[in-house]
Structures are given as structure tokens and as C-alpha cells.
Amino acid sequence: ELPDGGARPSAAQFKQLVVSALRELHGEVGAALPVDVLTYEEKTLSAILRVVSSGFVKLWSALTLLGFYQNRRCAFRVLQTSPFLLALSGNSRELVLD
């Protein structure tokens, strides 16, 4: 979330933001954590990230504690997590059976 509605980061800038958040909180070890941006929607500022299970807590904590992007306030909101990518493709509670 960028509350002031300024320029939105591109996919490459978003990936760099994630890596810098990891570096800021966990140092070079955190920055070396393999994180993949599977999808990124610049319009809605939403993304699906993939990380190894051992790095999940490091990634979540780094994103949660990041408060600024280019000297502007920002916040990350984790909407859903799953050990399976297929589970992120839809919400079973909204599934309509005929």
C-alpha cells in the first residue's frame, strides 16, 4: 500500500524492494534468500511471491517491518499464504458448483 498515491514501482523495482527489505532486517544472508516474484500487478500493487519454506518467516518479517519506499510511507499486507501454489489460484469458499 502506498497511501499518498504516488508513482508505483515496476516489477523490477518491486523485486528490488523485497530484496532490500530482507537485507535491511537480516543482512546479506537475508538478501541472498531466493525469492521469486511469480506475478505482480502494478495497478493493484499485488504480487504472488515464492520462497523456500525455511525462508518464509524471514520474508514475512522483513516485509511487515518495512515502512518506507523512496521516502514515502508504505505497508505490505499478506492476504494469503500456502505451501502449495495451486491453493493460491482461487478461493474454494467462492466455488460455485452446478
Side-chain angles (χ1 to χ4, degrees):
E1 293 181 6
L2 293 169
D4 62 0
R8 296 170 181 272
S10 67
Q13 291 170 323
F14 180 80
K15 169 72 180 216
Q16 186 58 38
L17 178 62
V18 171
V19 171
S20 65
L22 283 162
R23 180 177 287 115
E24 186 176 315
L25 187 62
H26 300 291
E28 291 302 317
V29 172
L33 187 68
V35 177
D36 298 318
V37 179
L38 299 180
T39 64
Y40 174 68
E41 290 290 330
E42 190 173 330
K43 186 176 182 179
T44 60
L45 293 174
S46 60
I48 295 178
L49 304 176
R50 179 174 58 187
V51 65
V52 294
S53 59
S54 61
F56 175 74
V57 172
K58 285 181 181 174
L59 177 62
W60 194 331
S61 61
L63 294 179
T64 301
L65 295 174
L66 186 70
F68 289 91
Y69 168 70
Q70 294 182 344
N71 296 322
R72 298 180 327 193
R73 296 194 61 69
C74 73
F76 280 86
R77 302 219 186 274
V78 178
L79 302 177
Q80 190 175 2
T81 64
S82 176
F84 308 105
L85 286 177
L86 186 59
L88 299 176
S89 66
N91 184 346
S92 63
R93 293 181 180 160
E94 295 174 356
L95 183 62
V96 177
L97 299 175
D98 291 330

PDB file of all heavy atoms in Angstrom, residues 36-62:
ATOM      1  N   ASP A  36      11.149 -15.469  -5.472  1.00  0.00           N
ATOM      2  CA  ASP A  36      10.686 -15.270  -6.846  1.00  0.00           C
ATOM      3  C   ASP A  36       9.391 -14.486  -6.831  1.00  0.00           C
ATOM      4  O   ASP A  36       8.495 -14.765  -6.029  1.00  0.00           O
ATOM      5  CB  ASP A  36      10.431 -16.615  -7.538  1.00  0.00           C
ATOM      6  CG  ASP A  36      11.693 -17.451  -7.658  1.00  0.00           C
ATOM      7  OD1 ASP A  36      12.738 -16.869  -7.985  1.00  0.00           O
ATOM      8  OD2 ASP A  36      11.616 -18.668  -7.423  1.00  0.00           O
ATOM      9  N   VAL A  37       9.289 -13.507  -7.710  1.00  0.00           N
ATOM     10  CA  VAL A  37       8.032 -12.785  -7.908  1.00  0.00           C
ATOM     11  C   VAL A  37       7.322 -13.486  -9.063  1.00  0.00           C
ATOM     12  O   VAL A  37       7.702 -13.341 -10.216  1.00  0.00           O
ATOM     13  CB  VAL A  37       8.278 -11.290  -8.229  1.00  0.00           C
ATOM     14  CG1 VAL A  37       6.959 -10.572  -8.445  1.00  0.00           C
ATOM     15  CG2 VAL A  37       9.078 -10.626  -7.121  1.00  0.00           C
ATOM     16  N   LEU A  38       6.312 -14.280  -8.733  1.00  0.00           N
ATOM     17  CA  LEU A  38       5.616 -15.055  -9.759  1.00  0.00           C
ATOM     18  C   LEU A  38       4.660 -14.189 -10.563  1.00  0.00           C
ATOM     19  O   LEU A  38       4.567 -14.321 -11.777  1.00  0.00           O
ATOM     20  CB  LEU A  38       4.868 -16.226  -9.120  1.00  0.00           C
ATOM     21  CG  LEU A  38       5.741 -17.233  -8.384  1.00  0.00           C
ATOM     22  CD1 LEU A  38       4.881 -18.344  -7.802  1.00  0.00           C
ATOM     23  CD2 LEU A  38       6.801 -17.803  -9.302  1.00  0.00           C
ATOM     24  N   THR A  39       3.927 -13.336  -9.882  1.00  0.00           N
ATOM     25  CA  THR A  39       3.059 -12.371 -10.562  1.00  0.00           C
ATOM     26  C   THR A  39       3.143 -11.047  -9.826  1.00  0.00           C
ATOM     27  O   THR A  39       3.362 -11.009  -8.622  1.00  0.00           O
ATOM     28  CB  THR A  39       1.575 -12.809 -10.596  1.00  0.00           C
ATOM     29  OG1 THR A  39       1.080 -12.869  -9.256  1.00  0.00           O
ATOM     30  CG2 THR A  39       1.403 -14.141 -11.280  1.00  0.00           C
ATOM     31  N   TYR A  40       2.968  -9.971 -10.573  1.00  0.00           N
ATOM     32  CA  TYR A  40       2.951  -8.644  -9.975  1.00  0.00           C
ATOM     33  C   TYR A  40       2.015  -7.774 -10.794  1.00  0.00           C
ATOM     34  O   TYR A  40       2.147  -7.685 -12.013  1.00  0.00           O
ATOM     35  CB  TYR A  40       4.354  -8.030  -9.949  1.00  0.00           C
ATOM     36  CG  TYR A  40       4.366  -6.591  -9.475  1.00  0.00           C
ATOM     37  CD1 TYR A  40       4.056  -6.274  -8.162  1.00  0.00           C
ATOM     38  CD2 TYR A  40       4.665  -5.559 -10.346  1.00  0.00           C
ATOM     39  CE1 TYR A  40       4.047  -4.960  -7.729  1.00  0.00           C
ATOM     40  CE2 TYR A  40       4.667  -4.242  -9.923  1.00  0.00           C
ATOM     41  CZ  TYR A  40       4.360  -3.943  -8.609  1.00  0.00           C
ATOM     42  OH  TYR A  40       4.349  -2.648  -8.180  1.00  0.00           O
ATOM     43  N   GLU A  41       1.059  -7.176 -10.128  1.00  0.00           N
ATOM     44  CA  GLU A  41       0.114  -6.261 -10.759  1.00  0.00           C
ATOM     45  C   GLU A  41       0.429  -4.847 -10.289  1.00  0.00           C
ATOM     46  O   GLU A  41       0.175  -4.498  -9.136  1.00  0.00           O
ATOM     47  CB  GLU A  41      -1.333  -6.621 -10.374  1.00  0.00           C
ATOM     48  CG  GLU A  41      -1.831  -7.901 -10.975  1.00  0.00           C
ATOM     49  CD  GLU A  41      -2.031  -7.788 -12.470  1.00  0.00           C
ATOM     50  OE1 GLU A  41      -2.348  -6.675 -12.953  1.00  0.00           O
ATOM     51  OE2 GLU A  41      -1.856  -8.808 -13.154  1.00  0.00           O
ATOM     52  N   GLU A  42       0.989  -4.053 -11.178  1.00  0.00           N
ATOM     53  CA  GLU A  42       1.374  -2.691 -10.816  1.00  0.00           C
ATOM     54  C   GLU A  42       0.155  -1.840 -10.464  1.00  0.00           C
ATOM     55  O   GLU A  42       0.217  -0.989  -9.588  1.00  0.00           O
ATOM     56  CB  GLU A  42       2.154  -2.062 -11.969  1.00  0.00           C
ATOM     57  CG  GLU A  42       2.811  -0.755 -11.620  1.00  0.00           C
ATOM     58  CD  GLU A  42       3.717  -0.260 -12.734  1.00  0.00           C
ATOM     59  OE1 GLU A  42       4.281  -1.069 -13.476  1.00  0.00           O
ATOM     60  OE2 GLU A  42       3.853   0.969 -12.843  1.00  0.00           O
ATOM     61  N   LYS A  43      -0.948  -2.083 -11.142  1.00  0.00           N
ATOM     62  CA  LYS A  43      -2.156  -1.293 -10.917  1.00  0.00           C
ATOM     63  C   LYS A  43      -2.702  -1.473  -9.503  1.00  0.00           C
ATOM     64  O   LYS A  43      -3.101  -0.505  -8.848  1.00  0.00           O
ATOM     65  CB  LYS A  43      -3.213  -1.686 -11.952  1.00  0.00           C
ATOM     66  CG  LYS A  43      -4.453  -0.849 -11.925  1.00  0.00           C
ATOM     67  CD  LYS A  43      -5.404  -1.245 -13.038  1.00  0.00           C
ATOM     68  CE  LYS A  43      -6.626  -0.353 -13.038  1.00  0.00           C
ATOM     69  NZ  LYS A  43      -7.543  -0.693 -14.123  1.00  0.00           N
ATOM     70  N   THR A  44      -2.721  -2.715  -9.028  1.00  0.00           N
ATOM     71  CA  THR A  44      -3.274  -3.004  -7.705  1.00  0.00           C
ATOM     72  C   THR A  44      -2.198  -3.174  -6.638  1.00  0.00           C
ATOM     73  O   THR A  44      -2.525  -3.357  -5.464  1.00  0.00           O
ATOM     74  CB  THR A  44      -4.119  -4.286  -7.745  1.00  0.00           C
ATOM     75  OG1 THR A  44      -3.286  -5.374  -8.150  1.00  0.00           O
ATOM     76  CG2 THR A  44      -5.286  -4.143  -8.691  1.00  0.00           C
ATOM     77  N   LEU A  45      -0.949  -3.134  -7.051  1.00  0.00           N
ATOM     78  CA  LEU A  45       0.186  -3.357  -6.151  1.00  0.00           C
ATOM     79  C   LEU A  45       0.073  -4.691  -5.423  1.00  0.00           C
ATOM     80  O   LEU A  45       0.342  -4.794  -4.227  1.00  0.00           O
ATOM     81  CB  LEU A  45       0.305  -2.210  -5.131  1.00  0.00           C
ATOM     82  CG  LEU A  45       0.672  -0.854  -5.693  1.00  0.00           C
ATOM     83  CD1 LEU A  45       0.620   0.207  -4.606  1.00  0.00           C
ATOM     84  CD2 LEU A  45       2.047  -0.880  -6.324  1.00  0.00           C
ATOM     85  N   SER A  46      -0.337  -5.720  -6.138  1.00  0.00           N
ATOM     86  CA  SER A  46      -0.433  -7.044  -5.528  1.00  0.00           C
ATOM     87  C   SER A  46       0.529  -7.991  -6.242  1.00  0.00           C
ATOM     88  O   SER A  46       0.809  -7.840  -7.431  1.00  0.00           O
ATOM     89  CB  SER A  46      -1.859  -7.570  -5.602  1.00  0.00           C
ATOM     90  OG  SER A  46      -2.277  -7.668  -6.946  1.00  0.00           O
ATOM     91  N   ALA A  47       1.017  -8.959  -5.480  1.00  0.00           N
ATOM     92  CA  ALA A  47       2.004  -9.885  -6.028  1.00  0.00           C
ATOM     93  C   ALA A  47       1.853 -11.250  -5.387  1.00  0.00           C
ATOM     94  O   ALA A  47       1.319 -11.386  -4.286  1.00  0.00           O
ATOM     95  CB  ALA A  47       3.416  -9.359  -5.775  1.00  0.00           C
ATOM     96  N   ILE A  48       2.340 -12.247  -6.091  1.00  0.00           N
ATOM     97  CA  ILE A  48       2.491 -13.586  -5.535  1.00  0.00           C
ATOM     98  C   ILE A  48       3.983 -13.864  -5.498  1.00  0.00           C
ATOM     99  O   ILE A  48       4.670 -13.795  -6.520  1.00  0.00           O
ATOM    100  CB  ILE A  48       1.766 -14.646  -6.386  1.00  0.00           C
ATOM    101  CG1 ILE A  48       0.264 -14.402  -6.353  1.00  0.00           C
ATOM    102  CG2 ILE A  48       2.090 -16.045  -5.871  1.00  0.00           C
ATOM    103  CD1 ILE A  48      -0.538 -15.369  -7.206  1.00  0.00           C
ATOM    104  N   LEU A  49       4.473 -14.150  -4.296  1.00  0.00           N
ATOM    105  CA  LEU A  49       5.889 -14.411  -4.087  1.00  0.00           C
ATOM    106  C   LEU A  49       6.085 -15.881  -3.754  1.00  0.00           C
ATOM    107  O   LEU A  49       5.248 -16.487  -3.090  1.00  0.00           O
ATOM    108  CB  LEU A  49       6.433 -13.560  -2.943  1.00  0.00           C
ATOM    109  CG  LEU A  49       6.250 -12.051  -3.062  1.00  0.00           C
ATOM    110  CD1 LEU A  49       6.762 -11.368  -1.812  1.00  0.00           C
ATOM    111  CD2 LEU A  49       6.961 -11.526  -4.278  1.00  0.00           C
ATOM    112  N   ARG A  50       7.203 -16.433  -4.189  1.00  0.00           N
ATOM    113  CA  ARG A  50       7.556 -17.812  -3.854  1.00  0.00           C
ATOM    114  C   ARG A  50       8.885 -17.790  -3.116  1.00  0.00           C
ATOM    115  O   ARG A  50       9.845 -17.148  -3.552  1.00  0.00           O
ATOM    116  CB  ARG A  50       7.671 -18.658  -5.114  1.00  0.00           C
ATOM    117  CG  ARG A  50       8.064 -20.093  -4.824  1.00  0.00           C
ATOM    118  CD  ARG A  50       8.039 -20.951  -6.047  1.00  0.00           C
ATOM    119  NE  ARG A  50       8.929 -20.404  -7.074  1.00  0.00           N
ATOM    120  CZ  ARG A  50       8.993 -20.887  -8.311  1.00  0.00           C
ATOM    121  NH1 ARG A  50       8.223 -21.883  -8.680  1.00  0.00           N
ATOM    122  NH2 ARG A  50       9.817 -20.354  -9.186  1.00  0.00           N
ATOM    123  N   VAL A  51       8.919 -18.492  -2.005  1.00  0.00           N
ATOM    124  CA  VAL A  51      10.135 -18.586  -1.205  1.00  0.00           C
ATOM    125  C   VAL A  51      10.191 -19.994  -0.605  1.00  0.00           C
ATOM    126  O   VAL A  51       9.149 -20.613  -0.375  1.00  0.00           O
ATOM    127  CB  VAL A  51      10.146 -17.498  -0.084  1.00  0.00           C
ATOM    128  CG1 VAL A  51       9.036 -17.721   0.915  1.00  0.00           C
ATOM    129  CG2 VAL A  51      11.483 -17.424   0.604  1.00  0.00           C
ATOM    130  N   VAL A  52      11.389 -20.489  -0.368  1.00  0.00           N
ATOM    131  CA  VAL A  52      11.525 -21.795   0.271  1.00  0.00           C
ATOM    132  C   VAL A  52      10.941 -21.717   1.673  1.00  0.00           C
ATOM    133  O   VAL A  52      10.952 -20.660   2.308  1.00  0.00           O
ATOM    134  CB  VAL A  52      13.001 -22.268   0.317  1.00  0.00           C
ATOM    135  CG1 VAL A  52      13.534 -22.516  -1.078  1.00  0.00           C
ATOM    136  CG2 VAL A  52      13.867 -21.270   1.041  1.00  0.00           C
ATOM    137  N   SER A  53      10.422 -22.813   2.158  1.00  0.00           N
ATOM    138  CA  SER A  53       9.725 -22.799   3.451  1.00  0.00           C
ATOM    139  C   SER A  53      10.624 -22.335   4.591  1.00  0.00           C
ATOM    140  O   SER A  53      10.156 -21.682   5.523  1.00  0.00           O
ATOM    141  CB  SER A  53       9.132 -24.170   3.763  1.00  0.00           C
ATOM    142  OG  SER A  53      10.148 -25.150   3.806  1.00  0.00           O
ATOM    143  N   SER A  54      11.907 -22.613   4.506  1.00  0.00           N
ATOM    144  CA  SER A  54      12.815 -22.189   5.578  1.00  0.00           C
ATOM    145  C   SER A  54      13.011 -20.664   5.601  1.00  0.00           C
ATOM    146  O   SER A  54      13.465 -20.116   6.600  1.00  0.00           O
ATOM    147  CB  SER A  54      14.164 -22.885   5.438  1.00  0.00           C
ATOM    148  OG  SER A  54      14.759 -22.549   4.197  1.00  0.00           O
ATOM    149  N   GLY A  55      12.682 -19.978   4.519  1.00  0.00           N
ATOM    150  CA  GLY A  55      12.835 -18.526   4.465  1.00  0.00           C
ATOM    151  C   GLY A  55      11.534 -17.766   4.640  1.00  0.00           C
ATOM    152  O   GLY A  55      11.515 -16.532   4.608  1.00  0.00           O
ATOM    153  N   PHE A  56      10.449 -18.480   4.854  1.00  0.00           N
ATOM    154  CA  PHE A  56       9.130 -17.862   4.951  1.00  0.00           C
ATOM    155  C   PHE A  56       9.049 -16.811   6.057  1.00  0.00           C
ATOM    156  O   PHE A  56       8.593 -15.696   5.834  1.00  0.00           O
ATOM    157  CB  PHE A  56       8.074 -18.959   5.171  1.00  0.00           C
ATOM    158  CG  PHE A  56       6.693 -18.449   5.397  1.00  0.00           C
ATOM    159  CD1 PHE A  56       5.955 -17.929   4.346  1.00  0.00           C
ATOM    160  CD2 PHE A  56       6.122 -18.480   6.653  1.00  0.00           C
ATOM    161  CE1 PHE A  56       4.671 -17.453   4.545  1.00  0.00           C
ATOM    162  CE2 PHE A  56       4.848 -18.011   6.862  1.00  0.00           C
ATOM    163  CZ  PHE A  56       4.115 -17.494   5.813  1.00  0.00           C
ATOM    164  N   VAL A  57       9.504 -17.147   7.247  1.00  0.00           N
ATOM    165  CA  VAL A  57       9.423 -16.225   8.385  1.00  0.00           C
ATOM    166  C   VAL A  57      10.310 -15.005   8.149  1.00  0.00           C
ATOM    167  O   VAL A  57       9.915 -13.874   8.468  1.00  0.00           O
ATOM    168  CB  VAL A  57       9.788 -16.943   9.697  1.00  0.00           C
ATOM    169  CG1 VAL A  57       9.889 -15.961  10.849  1.00  0.00           C
ATOM    170  CG2 VAL A  57       8.757 -18.017  10.017  1.00  0.00           C
ATOM    171  N   LYS A  58      11.478 -15.210   7.559  1.00  0.00           N
ATOM    172  CA  LYS A  58      12.366 -14.076   7.270  1.00  0.00           C
ATOM    173  C   LYS A  58      11.713 -13.115   6.276  1.00  0.00           C
ATOM    174  O   LYS A  58      11.754 -11.895   6.460  1.00  0.00           O
ATOM    175  CB  LYS A  58      13.703 -14.559   6.715  1.00  0.00           C
ATOM    176  CG  LYS A  58      14.598 -15.155   7.750  1.00  0.00           C
ATOM    177  CD  LYS A  58      15.909 -15.580   7.143  1.00  0.00           C
ATOM    178  CE  LYS A  58      16.774 -16.206   8.220  1.00  0.00           C
ATOM    179  NZ  LYS A  58      17.990 -16.774   7.699  1.00  0.00           N
ATOM    180  N   LEU A  59      11.114 -13.665   5.229  1.00  0.00           N
ATOM    181  CA  LEU A  59      10.462 -12.816   4.239  1.00  0.00           C
ATOM    182  C   LEU A  59       9.288 -12.068   4.844  1.00  0.00           C
ATOM    183  O   LEU A  59       9.162 -10.857   4.681  1.00  0.00           O
ATOM    184  CB  LEU A  59       9.995 -13.654   3.045  1.00  0.00           C
ATOM    185  CG  LEU A  59       9.219 -12.899   1.968  1.00  0.00           C
ATOM    186  CD1 LEU A  59      10.087 -11.807   1.339  1.00  0.00           C
ATOM    187  CD2 LEU A  59       8.703 -13.858   0.915  1.00  0.00           C
ATOM    188  N   TRP A  60       8.439 -12.769   5.555  1.00  0.00           N
ATOM    189  CA  TRP A  60       7.257 -12.138   6.142  1.00  0.00           C
ATOM    190  C   TRP A  60       7.668 -11.040   7.124  1.00  0.00           C
ATOM    191  O   TRP A  60       7.122  -9.945   7.104  1.00  0.00           O
ATOM    192  CB  TRP A  60       6.398 -13.185   6.837  1.00  0.00           C
ATOM    193  CG  TRP A  60       5.013 -12.711   7.182  1.00  0.00           C
ATOM    194  CD1 TRP A  60       4.602 -11.431   7.459  1.00  0.00           C
ATOM    195  CD2 TRP A  60       3.841 -13.496   7.282  1.00  0.00           C
ATOM    196  NE1 TRP A  60       3.265 -11.395   7.729  1.00  0.00           N
ATOM    197  CE2 TRP A  60       2.772 -12.663   7.623  1.00  0.00           C
ATOM    198  CE3 TRP A  60       3.595 -14.854   7.125  1.00  0.00           C
ATOM    199  CZ2 TRP A  60       1.476 -13.123   7.823  1.00  0.00           C
ATOM    200  CZ3 TRP A  60       2.294 -15.299   7.317  1.00  0.00           C
ATOM    201  CH2 TRP A  60       1.260 -14.449   7.659  1.00  0.00           C
ATOM    202  N   SER A  61       8.643 -11.308   7.976  1.00  0.00           N
ATOM    203  CA  SER A  61       9.060 -10.297   8.947  1.00  0.00           C
ATOM    204  C   SER A  61       9.678  -9.084   8.261  1.00  0.00           C
ATOM    205  O   SER A  61       9.426  -7.941   8.648  1.00  0.00           O
ATOM    206  CB  SER A  61      10.031 -10.894   9.973  1.00  0.00           C
ATOM    207  OG  SER A  61      11.198 -11.374   9.344  1.00  0.00           O
ATOM    208  N   ALA A  62      10.479  -9.307   7.219  1.00  0.00           N
ATOM    209  CA  ALA A  62      11.108  -8.189   6.513  1.00  0.00           C
ATOM    210  C   ALA A  62      10.060  -7.309   5.841  1.00  0.00           C
ATOM    211  O   ALA A  62      10.141  -6.076   5.893  1.00  0.00           O
ATOM    212  CB  ALA A  62      12.104  -8.708   5.489  1.00  0.00           C
TER     213      ALA A  62
END
